[in-house]
Amino acid sequence: MIVVNNKCSAEHNTKKINKLLTQRRKVELPEGDIYISGPLKLKLNGNWLTGNGPGTRLILNELSNPSNFIHVTSDRCKVTDLMIIGNREYVNYNPAKLRGCGIVVYKAYRTYIENVFVHDVSMDGIHSRGSNDLKASLTTISNCVIERAGKHSIYHNKYSQDPIIFNTFTQDAKSDGLMLDGNYGSVITNSHFYRNDDNNVKIIGGGRHRFENCTLDKAQNWGVYLAYTDDITMSKCIIFDNNQGERDAGGVCFAENVYRCLLMQNTIYDDPPVTQNYGIFIRNSCTNNNIVFNEVRNSINENYKVENDLN
């Protein structure tokens, strides 16, 4: 077991941990506040950065520091059992730069993130991406809590394929709880997306995603927003009390060019009926979708709003 001294300076801690990560597979961090000046880098195949539960807290050395906390750029790495405490109130999100994230997974295969608490980072809580030449694939997020992210709680770009999310909770992101941006093959189960400032789940492009036994509630906009995607299955989910921002939204929105999706055995409601304008809203470019055996109730306007008869 490798440990570092949590009483050292942020620069010393960062250099020491990163050096250990190039020498050993596993680096274990002690309990306490561990100040860092830049990202901890998992560059060795099979690297494992672990703490001792939520008592191990990674904190940036300065409130104005826009750095990411952890970078994963090699295969079969693990990040487990620690807390990341960010500085969202002091660093403005910069869309031109990938900075301010809790964990960035880049072009890595089979990354495993478990029992990690990400709080108050200035960009995405967990951000997974690849490129045209090398995908990030099979990123697994398990038993994590991501709250108050400056942009998305969890983000996957179009080259982050086949991610897995289970038993994970997101809340109070400034944008979406989960953003699937053109990727394919996600499996999301037993997770809770709560009170995010835009949508709880947003899917743009890509497809072949599966949601089961998830809860999506109290988003400012839609519980689920779909556009330019196909082959989405959502079953046995509870979607309720969305459109808290009173934006003419509600449970599930088929916004543009959504095809071959299945909504089955979901419960979509507003209790009391004060925010959800629509339970399921389907625009006229969305066809060949199956919506069966759902319980949809208590919408202010319509439980089902369909702009054509092709679904």
Side-chain angles (χ1 to χ4, degrees), residues 126-304:
I126 298 175
H127 180 111
S128 180
R129 67 188 302 109
S131 67
N132 190 43
D133 64 314
L134 187 62
K135 308 290 191 294
S137 59
L138 291 168
T139 299
T140 297
I141 301 170
S142 167
N143 295 298
C144 292
V145 175
I146 304 104
E147 64 177 22
R148 287 180 47 81
K151 195 178 181 188
H152 307 293
S153 294
I154 301 172
Y155 175 89
H156 291 276
N157 87 334
K158 66 179 180 178
Y159 300 113
S160 178
Q161 303 298 335
D162 304 310
I164 299 166
I165 302 169
F166 62 96
N167 294 339
T168 287
F169 177 76
T170 81
Q171 74 169 23
D172 293 334
K174 281 191 175 180
S175 188
D176 307 300
L178 171 63
M179 174 63 175
L180 301 177
D181 192 5
N183 69 321
Y184 287 85
S186 306
V187 177
I188 299 99
T189 59
N190 299 308
S191 293
H192 189 174
F193 302 92
Y194 172 69
R195 206 174 60 191
N196 295 288
D197 284 358
D198 197 355
N199 308 285
N200 276 323
V201 171
K202 187 174 186 178
I203 302 174
I204 304 292
R208 196 167 37 83
H209 305 301
R210 304 289 180 265
F211 292 78
E212 186 172 358
N213 292 322
C214 293
T215 301
L216 308 94
D217 62 306
K218 293 183 173 56
Q220 292 293 299
N221 201 14
W222 292 95
V224 181
Y225 182 93
L226 308 172
Y228 304 99
T229 188
D230 72 314
D231 193 16
I232 310 298
T233 298
M234 182 165 288
S235 64
K236 301 177 183 178
C237 294
I238 300 174
I239 304 168
F240 70 99
D241 289 1
N242 292 290
N243 192 34
Q244 293 290 312
E246 300 182 1
R247 303 175 186 177
D248 197 30
V252 181
C253 180
F254 291 69
E256 294 286 341
N257 298 312
V258 179
Y259 311 107
R260 298 187 300 117
C261 294
L262 172 63
L263 266 63
M264 182 175 67
Q265 295 181 322
N266 302 290
T267 303
I268 304 170
Y269 67 94
D270 193 12
D271 190 15
V274 293
T275 62
Q276 177 175 283
N277 282 354
Y278 304 100
I280 299 173
F281 183 90
I282 305 176
R283 291 202 171 99
N284 56 16
S285 63
C286 304
T287 59
N288 299 316
N289 298 293
N290 291 317
I291 301 173
V292 295
F293 305 122
N294 300 284
E295 180 184 352
V296 186
R297 54 184 166 84
N298 286 7
S299 299
I300 296 172
N301 291 338
E302 297 181 52
N303 288 325
Y304 294 92

Side-chain angles (χ1 to χ4, degrees), residues 2-150:
I2 305 298
V3 300
V4 297
N5 188 345
N6 59 354
K7 297 181 181 179
C8 295
S9 70
E11 291 80 7
H12 180 275
N13 282 334
T14 305
K15 290 179 180 178
K16 176 70 177 297
I17 296 168
N18 281 333
K19 183 177 180 180
L20 290 171
L21 285 166
T22 65
Q23 297 173 338
R24 306 292 178 89
R25 300 277 182 188
K26 181 179 180 181
V27 174
E28 183 172 345
L29 306 177
E31 291 189 17
D33 295 341
I34 300 174
Y35 288 88
I36 58 175
S37 59
L40 306 181
K41 300 176 180 179
L42 282 67
K43 301 189 291 184
L44 186 69
N45 281 0
N47 265 153
W48 181 6
L49 180 66
T50 188
N52 279 272
T56 300
R57 297 177 292 273
L58 294 179
I59 305 172
L60 291 172
N61 59 332
E62 296 179 0
L63 292 176
S64 60
N65 188 342
S67 176
N68 300 317
F69 282 78
I70 297 172
H71 283 175
V72 179
T73 56
S74 196
D75 295 341
R76 300 182 185 277
C77 293
K78 296 195 291 185
V79 181
T80 62
D81 298 297
L82 54 81
M83 179 182 292
I84 292 169
I85 301 177
N87 50 1
R88 185 177 90 164
E89 299 301 323
Y90 301 93
V91 176
N92 292 325
Y93 157 65
N94 184 348
K97 296 182 179 180
L98 183 57
R99 305 181 72 181
C101 297
I103 300 173
V104 175
V105 179
Y106 183 59
K107 297 184 179 181
Y109 173 70
R110 284 194 180 276
T111 303
Y112 191 76
I113 302 167
E114 183 179 40
N115 296 330
V116 173
F117 185 103
V118 183
H119 176 78
D120 223 32
V121 295
S122 59
M123 194 177 166
D124 299 331
I126 298 175
H127 180 111
S128 180
R129 67 188 302 109
S131 67
N132 190 43
D133 64 314
L134 187 62
K135 308 290 191 294
S137 59
L138 291 168
T139 299
T140 297
I141 301 170
S142 167
N143 295 298
C144 292
V145 175
I146 304 104
E147 64 177 22
R148 287 180 47 81

